[in-house]
Amino acid sequence: MQRSIALGHCVCDPQKPCPCPVFKEKDICECAGERLPVKSGTVRLTENVRAAGCASKIGKKDLKEILSGLPDIDDSRVIVGRSAGDDAGVIMLDESTATVLTVDVFAPSVDDPYTFGQIAAANSLSDIYAMGADAQAALSIIGFPIHELPPEAMREILRGGIEKMAEAGVSVIGGHSINDSEIKCGFAVTGTAPAGKLQKNTGAKFGDVIILTKPLGTGITSFAGQIGWADSEDITQIIKSMTMLNKRAGELMRKYNASAATDVTGFSLLGHISEIVKNSNIEIEIDFDALPLFSKVVDFAACGALPGAVERNRESVAPELIDFTTLPECLQNILYGPETSGGLLVFLTEDDAQKYIAELKESGNDYARIIGKVCSESTGGKIRVKSAGNLDTDSIRLRKTAKFKARVQASTESNAGDNQSSCCDSGAESSCCSDTNNSSNAAQAEATQSCCSGGDDPRESTSQKQRNLPAPAASSEFSGYMAAVNKSGAIDVKNKKLMALALSVSHKCAECVIINTEAARKQGATDAELSEAVAMGISFGGASANMFYQQLVNNR
Ligand code: CO
Ligand code: CO
């Protein structure tokens, strides 16, 4: 403290002045070991992170650029190095045994500390199993905001990890911790494999079929959980899969002598499989309809609940490598979804594949499926994704988006009581409905959305610019939804605009009233019709809607 005061800079954090704001306001010097009260009670881990799970990885494209200028490995004992982009590095310390090394660290994708530790351990071990190796020992790596969150949460994370490692027969023999602003945990794992028995991300051949041992959609489902769309059953489903070890899947892969293998994690199914396809110079066909998927992944994807890593993963796979034929874009996104502790991707002959799946089932894994096959040799590689096209994603989007949003609204209202949500709540085009005096309820949520006009681009509205408000995430999906709802259907556009006007009045959204009055006029609505629509709105909104409308008229 004396040194800090003399310097005018905190000696623990040179970017802070001394005395620092905490000292001035609270008379507490953290450098002298004095502590602000730490949050107590249950900690929800995902509230303390930006990108959950393997979605917190740096994109493959950025990574490639960064790694490109680094010195080459100059050690003849290294048989799988950085440039291979494989699951783990391999060094031959003697002739008989390959030593396999890997490290994986990420931010929580679940709220419970113990579960997070279990997932981190299963995920770190997976790279060892993906190489067909046996895990031998592990070191933990943990970042934790020790001055902000209760230390018990950190212990629980480690306990979850150590117990999952023990299930795999692996001891955590040490580790490293960092006082970090964001929670992170992972493990460095060392494994071994008999020489010549490694399963690499190359060597797949014509005639192989492709097996995936866990469902896709952990990243999309946990993102849907973070925005309140997924329910506890959805989260339980992905946790069950993320905490499941790939140990047996790896052992069986060695038994049946797979021609190539990897595990599916942050870079997505296509990100990981594309490496094998390029390295092996093969053309493969993936059957979308055969993919194991978590139960609501299609719904979430169709309605646009997608984490940012989807775009990063899409950018990192060369477009000329992929042929989606007729698969709609929202379903393509599932194949670019970041996975946390995902399954193994195994290339086997058809005969062995059936035996592999049957034996894996005996060990309690019901997820494994054949998802495609190698069709031919092809220089540079090619991936075709086919689907019978039985999924009507437009109708899913129409039916489910409002439902998901109503869920969020219901829960925010039960949390906040008399809250001030705008009529186009979270993630929507809030600018056209920026007057937040309304208080809609869950049952009305479906209807409230029509107070925004779909056709015009409200993201460009001057009011938003003037107020310097951020653009909502995923708003393009919502625009798509709005455009679909606003189209002429069983009800024509003019009558839809009149309905929107009535709803705008009852929801007391000033800008919505103005936009929808103009829109209805454009469609040929007469003054008499407009006035009746307003009256409908007032009749449902009651005295306060009447007051709101009178004020709006008087102020113009
Ligand atoms: Co991997
Ligand atoms: Co990894």
Side-chain angles (χ1 to χ4, degrees):
M1 182 89 189
Q2 295 307 327
R3 278 194 292 140
S4 300
I5 290 174
L7 279 173
H9 278 280
C10 171
V11 291
C12 301
D13 179 353
Q15 291 180 2
K16 275 199 292 189
C18 184
C20 67
V22 179
F23 185 75
K24 279 200 249 175
E25 283 160 31
K26 309 239 162 86
D27 197 25
I28 283 173
C29 175
E30 291 186 316
C31 299
E34 296 170 1
R35 294 281 170 261
L36 282 165
V38 169
K39 274 189 213 167
S40 60
T42 7
V43 185
R44 291 192 59 193
L45 298 188
T46 58
E47 283 177 354
N48 296 285
V49 298
R50 288 169 291 124
C54 285
S56 58
K57 264 185 165 177
I58 292 175
K60 210 166 155 187
K61 198 169 153 228
D62 287 337
L63 202 57
K64 214 172 161 188
E65 275 172 33
I66 293 161
L67 296 181
S68 67
L70 296 175
D72 287 335
I73 298 167
D74 181 21
D75 186 336
S76 58
R77 299 171 303 167
V78 174
I79 58 167
V80 179
R82 274 196 319 265
S83 59
D86 212 326
D87 299 295
V90 183
I91 185 166
M92 300 299 292
L93 295 175
D94 63 39
E95 282 118 63
S96 59
T97 311
T99 303
V100 183
L101 303 163
T102 179
V103 60
D104 257 295
V105 179
F106 57 60
S109 58
V110 292
D111 283 325
D112 176 54
Y114 179 84
T115 309
F116 171 48
Q118 295 234 301
I119 294 169
N123 182 69
S124 302
L125 285 165
S126 176
D127 279 331
I128 296 284
Y129 300 136
M131 299 298 287
D134 300 310
Q136 302 294 353
L139 301 169
S140 62
I141 300 124
I142 188 162
F144 194 83
I146 194 68
H147 295 161
E148 285 146 51
L149 297 176
E152 297 79 59
M154 176 164 153
R155 188 185 305 117
E156 281 302 290
I157 293 172
L158 290 171
R159 195 168 67 83
I162 289 168
E163 290 188 6
K164 184 50 74 178
M165 286 285 176
E167 182 189 325
V170 174
S171 299
V172 178
I173 57 178
H176 181 78
S177 60
I178 307 160
N179 181 5
D180 200 345
S181 57
E182 193 172 66
I183 302 169
K184 299 170 188 81
C185 179
F187 294 85
V189 190
T190 302
T192 53
K197 275 287 184 184
L198 284 173
Q199 314 280 322
K200 298 188 200 161
N201 63 355
T202 180
K205 48 190 192 299
F206 173 62
D208 282 344
V209 297
I210 309 159
I211 298 166
L212 177 62
T213 67
K214 285 187 189 181
L216 295 176
T218 55
I220 290 173
T221 305
S222 45
F223 178 78
Q226 280 185 300
I227 62 170
W229 286 19
D231 56 35
S232 60
E233 262 166 54
D234 304 322
I235 303 299
T236 309
Q237 260 188 16
I238 60 166
I239 285 176
K240 187 179 163 216
S241 164
M242 291 189 291
T243 54
M244 177 190 261
L245 292 172
N246 282 332
K247 186 176 187 211
R248 189 71 187 133
E251 288 165 355
L252 288 170
M253 190 170 90
R254 201 154 84 192
K255 172 174 171 186
Y256 289 107
N257 206 7
S259 47
T262 191
D263 62 343
V264 181
T265 53
F267 296 140
S268 77
L269 175 76
L270 290 178
H272 290 283
I273 211 167
S274 63
E275 292 297 325
I276 295 185
V277 165
K278 277 189 289 182
N279 297 342
S280 313
N281 289 308
I282 48 170
E283 174 166 340
I284 65 165
E285 183 178 82
I286 296 174
D287 179 2
F288 182 85
D289 307 319
L291 288 171
L293 301 175
F294 290 106
S295 59
K296 285 206 201 117
V297 173
V298 166
D299 295 351
F300 294 144
C303 299
L306 300 163
V310 166
E311 273 86 37
R312 286 200 300 280
N313 286 336
R314 189 186 277 272
E315 278 169 18
S316 68
V317 181
E320 60 273 16
L321 205 61
I322 317 269
D323 172 4
F324 280 117
T325 53
T326 56
L327 194 69
E329 192 177 326
C330 60
L331 298 181
Q332 297 170 17
N333 289 330
I334 295 173
L335 308 183
Y336 287 114
E339 301 295 333
T340 299
S341 191
L344 296 189
L345 262 176
V346 186
F347 287 69
L348 284 173
T349 64
E350 173 123 46
D351 254 12
D352 286 343
Q354 301 295 352
K355 292 183 218 157
Y356 177 93
I357 290 173
E359 275 197 63
L360 201 53
K361 202 172 175 149
E362 280 169 30
S363 74
N365 180 332
D366 289 336
Y367 301 127
R369 301 274 184 283
I370 294 177
I371 63 159
K373 58 177 191 240
V374 181
C375 313
S376 62
E377 286 165 14
S378 162
T379 313
K382 186 95 200 168
I383 301 171
R384 273 187 288 121
V385 184
K386 65 157 196 186
S387 166
N390 294 331
L391 282 163
D392 182 355
T393 49
D394 286 338
S395 108
I396 294 174
R397 184 160 46 238
L398 280 174
R399 281 182 295 119
K400 299 274 168 86
T401 309
K403 225 181 191 173
F404 289 140
K405 285 177 181 279
R407 247 190 78 84
V408 177
Q409 189 148 8
S411 74
T412 36
E413 275 174 13
S414 69
N415 287 344
D418 180 22
N419 77 335
Q420 299 256 305
S421 76
S422 87
C423 63
C424 307
D425 59 292
S426 64
E429 298 145 297
S430 54
S431 59
C432 70
C433 312
S434 56
D435 191 332
T436 54
N437 287 328
N438 60 319
S439 65
S440 33
N441 63 37
Q444 287 170 320
E446 229 166 311
T448 57
Q449 287 165 346
S450 50
C451 72
C452 293
S453 74
D456 338 280
D457 190 355
R459 278 167 295 165
E460 282 304 302
S461 113
T462 47
S463 59
Q464 181 173 335
K465 278 186 215 142
Q466 279 157 6
R467 290 172 211 161
N468 193 22
L469 298 177
S475 65
S476 63
E477 277 82 359
F478 188 63
S479 318
Y481 173 71
M482 291 302 301
V485 170
N486 276 272
K487 265 203 304 230
S488 171
I491 301 173
D492 65 19
V493 177
K494 184 183 92 178
N495 281 311
K496 284 189 172 177
K497 297 297 174 195
L498 288 168
M499 288 166 75
L501 173 59
L503 287 159
S504 306
V505 172
S506 75
H507 285 279
K508 300 183 275 284
C509 172
E511 288 181 50
C512 310
V513 170
I514 293 156
I515 287 170
N516 286 312
T517 303
E518 276 165 18
R521 271 220 175 90
K522 246 195 222 161
Q523 296 297 325
T526 61
D527 281 350
E529 284 173 317
L530 289 167
S531 143
E532 284 191 26
V534 167
M536 285 299 289
I538 290 173
S539 76
F540 276 82
S544 62
N546 187 38
M547 181 85 81
F548 154 79
Y549 192 72
Q550 293 312 325
Q551 274 175 357
L552 187 63
V553 171
N554 293 340
N555 289 341
R556 276 181 80 76

